Amino acid sequence: MNVPAVRKLVENYTISILQEAEWNLIEGKEMNISVGGKDEGEQFTHITAAIWILENMRMRNVEFNEALLEYTKQLREPIN
């Protein structure tokens, strides 16, 4: 996951636009936005992370960095 790419998505797109891009990626269609990443797997990771972070920011009324930390905790938890 590339944090600057995720930040760009969070700062520039709404959840609904990101969900549409996610669906297009799953369906093999052209995405309506520019998503950083070297392949479709990384692009999918960036989109789903941005959606999760935006929802967390809205629900908990927190800034990007706090929501990002919470997201990375969620990723690391199953590993421990």
Side-chain angles (χ1 to χ4, degrees):
M1 179 176 76
N2 181 295
V3 174
V6 173
R7 179 184 293 272
K8 180 181 173 188
L9 295 174
V10 167
E11 291 176 347
N12 292 299
Y13 302 108
T14 64
I15 292 172
S16 61
I17 290 172
L18 291 168
Q19 288 171 329
E20 182 181 347
E22 178 183 40
W23 180 252
N24 286 340
L25 184 60
I26 290 168
E27 292 295 312
K29 297 178 181 176
E30 188 173 327
M31 288 185 290
N32 54 340
I33 62 173
S34 174
V35 179
K38 60 184 173 220
D39 58 31
E40 290 178 350
E42 190 173 23
Q43 291 173 342
F44 186 76
T45 298
H46 293 162
I47 293 169
T48 56
I51 291 169
W52 192 96
I53 289 168
L54 278 168
E55 289 175 342
N56 194 274
M57 289 170 65
R58 184 183 58 193
M59 288 186 330
R60 295 182 52 233
N61 195 30
V62 296
E63 295 295 319
F64 173 81
N65 288 337
E66 188 173 339
L68 175 65
L69 283 173
E70 188 64 30
Y71 179 75
T72 58
K73 278 186 198 177
Q74 296 286 328
L75 294 178
R76 279 188 248 124
E77 201 169 279
I79 296 171
N80 294 329

